[in-house]
């Protein structure tokens, strides 16, 4: 399936918007999972888009930026991987490892270029601050968004418009003479979310809250086994009894999420109570010291 011009336009426009949303708007529409959903809707295969977007979201789960540091652009990688995966019938896991991750890494250089370009408008604002020219300050502030957007729009547009033939050749080679490499990339793409979890656990206070980690892992394993067996049993019964519907869905992760939310709420309330008691104790101590001084 060839990528249509309107699909290229919509994906390119979103690529320019998502970095602005990440920097200023904060609507959560710049997350890789949303990029996968959007690209899936535009390309006509939401499932593939969510697989790629969700995998990239988990891959960068523990990756953060500090100060002015740049990080991989998982959103642009998700857009291109989803578009080419759907248009060429490519395995989503293979598209993650062969397209999404390399593109996301290469976009770091363009992110740095956008930061350098943006300093031009920052210096102009500094000059206008000295003369109190508020209209010029506002104008240059808005113009500063252009380098950020163009650093995503241009490469995504060029890749979608002219990179289809190259990607198609790569896919044919990975599924032909280098099938062993293609299978390896598929396995690597499926394993990448575990890397994100590993990075996240590296920075979380696991030693302090290790009981919650063990409890969450155990509950996940138990519920996954329980729901899977119930689903298998229901499907088997439905094949014998016609009055029972044949669709049985398993929801172990939803149950785990609700349990985790409950523990988080309990921990939050306990922390609030402890802080309130500590503040009250401090106030009483200060009042007692004042009374002693007065005496």
């Amino acid at each position: 399936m060839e990528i249509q011009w309107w699909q290229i336009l919509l994906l390119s426009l979103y690529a320019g918007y998502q970095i602005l949303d990440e920097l200023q708007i904060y609507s959560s529409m710049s997350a890789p999972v949303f990029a996968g959903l959007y690209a899936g809707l535009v390309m006509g295969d939401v499932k593939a888009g969510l697989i790629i977007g969700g995998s990239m979201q988990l891959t960068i789960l523990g990756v953060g930026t500090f100060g002015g540091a740049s990080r991989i652009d998982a959103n642009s990688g998700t857009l291109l991987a989803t578009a080419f995966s759907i248009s060429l019938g490519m395995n989503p896991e293979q598209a993650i490892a062969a397209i999404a991750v390399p593109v996301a890494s290469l976009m770091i250089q363009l992110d740095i270029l956008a930061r350098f370009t943006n300093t031009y408008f920052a210096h102009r604002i500094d000059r206008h601050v000295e003369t109190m020219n508020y209209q010029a300050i506002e104008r240059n502030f808005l113009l500063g968004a252009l380098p950020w957007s163009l650093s995503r729009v241009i490469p995504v547009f060029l890749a979608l418009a002219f990179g289809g033939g190259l990607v198609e050749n790569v896919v044919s080679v990975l599924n032909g003479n280098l099938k062993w490499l293609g299978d390896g990339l598929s396995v690597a793409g499926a394993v990448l979310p575990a890397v994100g979890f590993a990075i996240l656990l590296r920075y979380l206070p696991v030693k302090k809250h290790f009981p919650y980690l063990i409890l969450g892992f155990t509950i996940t394993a138990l519920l996954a086994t329980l729901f899977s067996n119930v689903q298998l049993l229901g499907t088997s019964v439905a094949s014998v009894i016609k009055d029972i519907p044949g669709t049985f869905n398993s929801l172990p992760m939803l149950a785990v999420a609700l349990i985790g939310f409950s523990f988080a709420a309990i921990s939050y309330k306990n922390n609030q109570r402890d802080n309130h008691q500590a503040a009250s104790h401090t106030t009483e101590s200060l009042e007692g010291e004042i009374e002693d001084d007065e005496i």
Side-chain angles (χ1 to χ4, degrees):
M1 181 183 75
E2 184 179 355
I3 303 178
Q4 303 298 319
W5 68 266
W6 60 269
Q7 293 173 325
I8 296 176
L9 178 62
L10 291 177
L11 293 176
S12 299
L13 290 176
Y14 171 77
Y17 166 80
Q18 55 90 11
I19 184 61
L20 299 181
D21 185 272
E22 182 178 340
L23 295 173
Q24 295 179 344
I25 304 174
Y26 307 115
S27 68
S28 298
M29 292 177 63
S30 59
V33 66
F34 187 88
L37 172 63
Y38 179 85
L41 288 172
V42 172
M43 297 300 300
D45 190 345
V46 177
K47 181 179 178 181
L50 287 176
I51 291 175
I52 296 174
S55 298
M56 290 298 292
Q57 183 79 62
L58 295 176
T59 300
I60 64 167
L61 192 63
V63 177
T65 57
F66 304 95
S70 297
R71 64 173 175 83
I72 64 173
D73 187 0
N75 298 331
S76 298
T78 299
L79 288 176
L80 294 179
T82 302
F84 288 127
S85 173
I86 296 173
S87 63
L88 301 177
M90 191 177 182
N91 185 359
E93 285 78 13
Q94 190 180 90
I96 294 170
I99 300 176
V101 173
V103 168
S105 301
L106 289 174
M107 291 295 289
I108 295 177
Q109 310 305 324
L110 293 176
D111 182 80
I112 296 173
L113 178 61
R115 292 175 186 271
F116 273 113
T117 308
N118 200 43
T119 57
Y120 169 76
F121 299 101
H123 290 313
R124 288 176 62 90
I125 291 174
D126 291 337
R127 291 197 299 269
H128 291 305
V129 167
E130 296 177 357
T131 59
M132 298 298 177
N133 189 346
Y134 295 108
Q135 291 183 349
I137 293 173
E138 294 176 355
R139 182 172 61 254
N140 282 277
F141 174 79
L142 295 175
L143 289 174
L146 287 177
W148 292 105
S149 291
L150 293 177
S151 67
R152 270 66 177 180
V153 171
I154 293 176
V156 170
F157 174 81
L158 293 177
L160 292 175
F162 304 105
L166 174 62
V167 175
E168 187 175 2
N169 292 333
V170 171
V171 172
S172 61
V173 171
L174 291 177
N175 293 330
N177 298 330
L178 297 180
K179 191 175 186 305
W180 58 272
L181 180 58
D183 295 338
L185 291 175
S186 299
V187 174
V191 173
L192 277 176
V195 177
F197 276 105
I199 298 174
L200 181 64
L201 292 175
R202 174 65 179 81
Y203 290 101
L204 287 177
V206 176
K207 293 182 180 179
K208 182 179 179 181
H209 301 293
F210 73 90
Y212 291 100
L213 179 64
I214 297 174
L215 184 63
F217 177 80
T218 305
I219 291 175
T220 302
L222 290 176
L223 290 179
T225 303
L226 174 63
F227 277 94
S228 298
N229 290 336
V230 170
Q231 185 180 20
L232 179 61
L233 177 62
T235 304
S236 301
V237 173
S239 63
V240 178
I241 304 176
K242 297 182 180 180
D243 295 334
I244 297 180
T247 304
F248 295 86
N249 296 322
S250 59
L251 299 174
M253 293 309 299
L254 176 61
V256 173
L258 293 175
I259 294 172
F261 177 79
S262 301
F263 280 121
I266 293 172
S267 177
Y268 175 77
K269 288 187 175 181
N270 290 337
N271 290 334
Q272 292 292 103
R273 182 187 60 194
D274 294 341
N275 293 335
H276 179 71
Q277 292 177 352
S280 300
H281 179 71
T282 303
T283 303
E284 293 175 357
S285 300
L286 292 175
E287 291 177 354
E289 291 177 0
I290 294 173
E291 292 177 359
D292 293 338
D293 292 339
E294 291 176 352
I295 291 175

